[in-house]
Amino acid sequence: MSRITVAVAGSTGSIGTQALDVVATEPDRYRVSVLTAGSSWELVAEQAHMVKPDMVVIAEHASLDQLQQALPAGVRAVAGESALREAVAAADVTINGVVGFAGLPVTLACLQAGKRLGLANKESLIAAGPVVQRARSTAGAELVPVDSEHAALHQCLRANAVSRRVARLQLTASGGPFRGKAASELSEVTVEQALAHPTWAMGPKITIDSSTLMNKGLEVIEAVELFGHRAGVHGVGIDFDDVDVVVHPQSIVHSMATFTDGSTIAQLSNPDMRGPIGYALAYPDRLGSSFGLLDWSEPLHLDFEPPDRQSFPCLDLAYEAGRIGGTAPAWLSAANEVAVDAFLAGQIPWSGIHEVVSAVLTTHDGGTGETLVDVLNGDHLARVRAAETLAGRL
Ligand SMILES: NC(=O)c1ccc[n+]([C@@H]2O[C@H](COP(=O)([O-])OP(=O)(O)OC[C@H]3O[C@@H](n4cnc5c(N)ncnc54)[C@H](OP(=O)(O)O)[C@@H]3O)[C@@H](O)[C@H]2O)c1
């Protein structure tokens, strides 16, 4: 039997490198056919020597010649969006581990080609909801979430697939490095402190998003896009009022679904992203082996508490953008990308992230986000507004 070909988009990042680990565990079943990176041509070339893909795509045109020379014989280097779309469309499954809005072409190329998308890049779905929903309706297209909470919800809902009587979804959150801190204690936190996530080792953008709880807010929008009214036949009809955020510092329960009869189904496993990546690859089957099992011979303590919405106002900001709809989530996500970059560059304090995103969102122009052009314009305008807001602060 021929092997399933896998495109790993963003292969040089945290999700990408873990996706390569997962594929390597079942070499008779999967083969990496495409690797993509932003600018890290040396690292992606090293990966190509290990996995021997058909093609490597680099976003930065300037590195194309160096990349081609560094690749093993028979592996083609390409750059640019149309090459990227072709490469992704040719693979059976794509794991989208690109960070930020830059992941949108991968999401659309895969779904529009009628293929399976393992989606880690939440920003593309959040920013371009209606456009991605249409692409999701392409014959053969399938979206299986890789974000651990949504992979958990996918499994909880699947466990009850015969009845769609879902009352609420509970998204769990580790609480990040600043859980338990009062707003007054958070004004002076450093980049290093914000990057020290207690349970997950991830790329810098999502780690900062976890420290502000913006990540959880983005995940609330992601959950509504994946499982809500707008997802049509793919959804279970929930809306923003039906999604709870529950702080669970151990990151063992990855999320839960509560049904109309009061039963709650949860998915538990160690905090290791290779689990959800493997789930998205193998669904509806499962991988043949695990990346570590919970040890039930030892006492296991699981805590749950409500989020502190005063100290972490980005959470409610995301609910607000999600409820506004249209391009408001695209504006939220774009302004957040700009603000997180500014925080990482030492230009604004941690609390400035919320201030910038909130200021940009108040100027939202009511864009509907129904077309790709509308989404691209919305993303651009929000970045301009965020840059202006930053300039006013500096
Ligand atoms: N990490 C996790 O555990 C985790 C968990 C859940 C969800 N996610 C989601 O998964 C996505 C990736 O997160 P990550 O932590 O893996 O990020 P990361 O470690 O920063 O990796 C980002 C990847 O995207 C590539 N990239 C960056 N800018 C690009 C551009 N303009 N065009 C094309 N490729 C570009 C990078 O390539 P270069 O190396 O060349 O820059 C790298 O391969 C995010 O949406 C995140 O929210 C991550």
Side-chain angles (χ1 to χ4, degrees):
M1 218 173 69
S2 64
R3 292 182 292 171
I4 294 167
T5 54
V6 182
V8 181
S11 64
T12 49
S14 161
I15 288 291
T17 50
Q18 294 182 85
L20 297 182
D21 282 354
V22 174
V23 170
T25 61
E26 302 205 12
D28 297 336
R29 192 175 181 189
Y30 302 110
R31 177 177 80 81
V32 174
S33 59
V34 178
L35 296 173
T36 91
S39 58
S40 309
W41 64 270
E42 284 158 305
L43 180 51
V44 78
E46 251 175 60
Q47 293 178 327
H49 280 274
M50 310 271 289
V51 302
K52 304 277 173 9
D54 303 329
M55 202 180 284
V56 177
V57 189
I58 190 100
E60 206 180 76
H61 277 82
S63 338
L64 183 60
D65 286 346
Q66 286 159 302
L67 171 64
Q68 185 65 75
Q69 281 163 28
L71 290 178
V75 180
R76 203 151 65 91
V78 292
E81 199 174 312
S82 65
L84 171 75
R85 292 182 69 92
E86 256 177 62
V88 165
D92 296 321
V93 184
T94 295
I95 299 296
N96 188 354
V98 175
V99 63
F101 189 70
L104 182 59
V106 173
T107 292
L108 292 179
C110 176
L111 293 174
Q112 287 168 348
K115 299 291 179 67
R116 157 89 53 94
L117 173 66
L119 184 67
N121 175 259
K122 64 192 91 184
E123 295 93 340
S124 56
L125 177 62
I126 289 159
V131 178
V132 176
Q133 294 296 359
R134 277 200 300 281
R136 205 175 168 189
S137 312
T138 309
E142 213 176 0
L143 200 174
V144 185
V146 165
D147 224 354
S148 57
E149 296 77 1
H150 306 77
L153 290 173
H154 197 269
Q155 294 173 70
C156 297
L157 296 173
R158 189 179 161 195
N160 204 51
V162 175
S163 161
R164 313 287 278 179
R165 290 177 184 266
V166 179
R168 307 192 66 72
L169 300 179
Q170 287 81 34
L171 279 177
T172 52
S174 69
F178 305 136
R179 181 175 66 91
K181 292 216 183 297
S184 57
E185 296 173 84
L186 290 169
S187 51
E188 301 298 326
V189 297
T190 64
V191 169
E192 199 184 15
Q193 287 168 326
L195 284 174
H197 197 281
T199 49
W200 296 98
M202 309 180 285
K205 193 259 178 185
I206 185 175
T207 306
I208 299 303
D209 286 350
S210 298
S211 77
T212 59
L213 287 201
M214 179 62 90
N215 182 51
K216 211 46 56 182
L218 295 175
E219 287 179 4
V220 170
I221 304 175
E222 182 183 9
V224 173
E225 287 290 348
L226 286 169
F227 308 116
H229 293 287
R230 283 205 250 151
V233 291
H234 306 288
V236 291
I238 54 98
D239 212 337
F240 286 95
D241 290 344
D242 310 318
V243 182
D244 304 312
V245 169
V246 183
V247 174
H248 165 50
Q250 292 86 4
S251 300
I252 297 285
V253 174
H254 296 297
S255 277
M256 305 176 261
T258 298
F259 297 89
T260 48
D261 62 358
S263 281
T264 296
I265 296 184
Q267 186 264 330
L268 285 72
S269 55
N270 286 322
D272 187 324
M273 285 308 294
R274 292 172 300 180
I277 293 168
Y279 176 76
L281 278 180
Y283 172 79
D285 192 11
R286 294 209 176 244
L287 289 185
S289 57
S290 78
F291 292 94
L293 298 171
L294 289 172
D295 182 358
W296 295 104
S297 68
E298 294 292 327
L300 178 62
H301 196 84
L302 301 177
D303 297 295
F304 300 93
E305 64 195 35
D308 176 346
R309 301 184 116 92
Q310 261 75 47
S311 295
F312 303 97
C314 285
L315 178 59
D316 282 337
L317 203 55
Y319 269 94
E320 187 189 328
R323 288 189 172 107
I324 296 170
T327 51
W331 280 51
L332 173 93
S333 185
N336 181 56
E337 280 191 45
V338 174
V340 169
D341 280 348
F343 170 66
L344 285 169
Q347 294 168 345
I348 56 170
W350 182 86
S351 55
I353 297 174
H354 171 260
E355 284 170 31
V356 169
V357 181
S358 173
V360 171
L361 200 58
T362 54
T363 68
H364 178 241
D365 63 358
T368 63
E370 284 299 324
T371 66
L372 182 57
V373 171
D374 202 13
V375 171
L376 295 173
N377 285 341
D379 175 80
H380 174 70
L381 196 50
R383 283 172 200 270
V384 170
R385 295 270 163 84
E388 287 167 358
T389 311
L390 281 173
R393 286 186 54 103
L394 300 177

